[in-house]
Amino acid sequence: MEIEARANPMDKYLRADRIPHIWCSGCGLGIVLNAFLHAIEELNIDLDKLAVVSGIGCTGRIAGYINTDSYHTTHGRAIPFATGLKLANPEMKVVVISGDGDLFAIGGNHFIHAARRNIDITVIGVNNYNYGMTGGQLGPTTPLGARTTTSPYGNIEHPFNLCHVAHAAGAVYVARWTVLHAIRLKNSIKEALNKRGFSFIEVIAACPTTYGRRNKMPDALDEMRFYREHSVIKHGIDPSQANIEIGKEIVVGKFVDIEKPTFNEAVEELKKKVKKK
Amino acid sequence: MKKEIRFWNGSIAVSEGAIVAGCRFFAGYPITPASDIAEYMALRLPQEDGIFIQMEDEIASIAALLGASWGGAKVMTSTSGPGFSLMQENVGLAAVTETPLVIAEVQRAGPSTGMPTLVGQGDVMQSRWGSHGDYETIVISPSSPQESFDLVIRAFNLAELYRVPVIFLMDECIAHMSERVVIPPKEEIEVVERIKPNVSPEKYMPFQPVNDIAPMATAGMGYRVHVTGLTHNEKGYPMTTSPEVQEWMVRHICDKIRKNEHKIRDIEEYRMEDAEIAIVAFGIVGRSAKAAVKMARRHRIKAGLIRLKTIWPFPESYFESMADSIKKFIVAEINYGQIKLEVERAVHGKASVELLPKFGGAVHQPMEIYQKIKEVKNGN
Ligand SMILES: Cc1ncc(C[n+]2csc(CCOP(=O)(O)OP(=O)(O)O)c2C)c(N)n1
Ligand code: SF4
Ligand SMILES: [Mg+2]
């Protein structure tokens, strides 16, 4: 019997010659990538005018698989790189996809300042509660009490609530989803891509290999099951009320959606004002 | 167009030179004695349809330069030693991703916070070896506001031509001194533009050199390039377990500069025709060294000056052949011996090389250099 080889309809968005990817089976990153690709497909975004920028980490590898101009920068520096790219080439749609450690530990300073300036980029922050790439160390979002390779007795640090940070720093669009909410996530990415200014989506993602197995969720499905049983959608809630704690409900939804002039717009206005004749 | 005459300090001259060279993006973070450049660019760039942004630190500044350079712009930042230290990881990223950018580094006295308002020349090695791994940079050092203007244009041209980070290594004195600057007519100024690919996206190999340098497809041109700091092949794809690709990539980013050292080289010789003793200096010290040579000549001592306008790649073969006739070199620099080591290495024991250091905060007086010349002469 002959089996007809059919191309996956999403192939055109991928660098097919780079597949298979490096991620573990059960990793949440495939769902994030899939949601992103469907969002750009449904928005019919010109791939030649889309740039994806990543930092370093398992999440940071996303840029390398997408068939657009894609930039895999240094650890923590995706946002300032994206800032320069967007300012120098405003016709590009610029998206940063990176991990919790990359964006909020080593790169935390850049995140808050890009949000404050309202740089016109979308940031998708994949929160898997740990540093996957380097073997499961604790990170700025590791919940209190969670076991990681550098918190072998349980985490004693208070974690960031990323959506609260984004809101406080001035982001115009803030949402949180888990990888269980694949369709809602895709719709949210579409909204964020259409938003003028600094938009941020936190995606809670399973990392069975380095996080789950040390925290009583050794199977990827355990984490998905947990999301199903414990996440509640609360659109419009003050993000400060959406902390993440072990074993407690995960509040998801769109928390912030406001309008504010962007840095690009301010620069263009300034240029008009001072331009030499 | 006619030439124009201005009375500018080095900071203004380097900024105006950058604009003439086509710089339309500047990201920086304030630091003495380099802040004047950022302040002047904040004033001037919006008038020229360019973008100035003050970032949250120097790491962000150079990352923004990389992004803007891949966005298609010619880009510059300014900083001093402490900020330059922070930039180093991304200097390496610029080197392996072959990203043109210019860093105006106004040296102050280090190490650490050091003497923020006073001169130093201690960042010579940092500008060559500051990032990890094997790579090359081009480093240019001006001795006047005029050269700040002229040579920064060359810095941009070389950055674009060789796709390499260029460090414009100034010092506090040059940045703050004001002098006459002659601006040549526009049509006499050479401005080099980035080479773009002229093949279809299917055929394009983003890191495959054509005559040493790969044409660069920036964002939005339709080439859909992947750029990574990981070891990568001609296609730009990560190859993190292939020693062969690592060798190919490292050789390429180094050899494109090493091979062309003689073209990049820029040296001023003063009274070298019959010299027996040569002073080697750069930046502000080049000026007191010239005065010292004049003093020596008045006393019939055959001294000359070799002033380095490009420091890296180091002109090794130049010094090696100079050492056939010159048996005594004196290296005067405001540090505890950096270029001295290079000269020593380059002359292969054919000549003596003595260091005349200053430890930062002050410039060699001509008399001090003259004394050293006498000492070396009498030490026959
Ligand atoms: C300057 C620097 N420090 C440390 C590292 C090592 N490192 C690589 S990835 C990473 C953490 C990544 O964690 P996260 O951003 O959460 O991504 P994940 O792998 O979990 O997706 C670290 C510390 C590095 N590459 N560069
Ligand atoms: S370590 Fe975790 S985040 Fe990294 S690929 Fe594996 S499952 Fe995914
Ligand atoms: Mg992580």
Side-chain angles (χ1 to χ4, degrees), chain A residues 58-59 99-102 126-133 141 207:
Chain A
C58 296
T59 314
D100 48 279
D102 187 81
V126 178
N127 180 4
N128 53 18
Y129 301 146
N130 81 129
Y131 289 4
M133 176 63 94
T141 59
C207 170

Side-chain angles (χ1 to χ4, degrees), chain A residues 23-24 27 58 128 132 207-210:
Chain A
W23 299 315
C24 313
C27 177
C58 296
N128 53 18
C207 170
T209 307
T210 63

Side-chain angles (χ1 to χ4, degrees), chain A residues 42-110:
Chain A
E42 287 177 22
L43 288 177
N44 207 6
I45 287 178
D46 179 358
L47 287 184
D48 287 341
K49 298 294 168 198
L50 174 70
V52 179
V53 186
S54 287
I56 302 290
C58 296
T59 314
R61 292 301 187 96
I62 276 192
Y65 299 126
I66 304 176
N67 190 18
T68 62
D69 286 315
S70 55
Y71 304 92
H72 182 224
T73 64
T74 44
H75 192 24
R77 317 305 167 195
I79 288 179
F81 185 104
T83 298
L85 182 58
K86 179 66 188 179
L87 292 176
N89 201 335
E91 63 171 32
M92 298 300 288
K93 209 167 246 317
V94 180
V95 182
V96 169
I97 309 181
S98 222
D100 48 279
D102 187 81
L103 291 170
F104 291 94
I106 193 165
N109 199 29
H110 309 310

Side-chain angles (χ1 to χ4, degrees), chain B residues 346-360:
Chain B
V347 301
H348 291 301
K350 290 195 281 186
S352 72
V353 181
E354 290 215 22
L355 174 68
L356 181 61
K358 272 271 160 191
F359 287 82

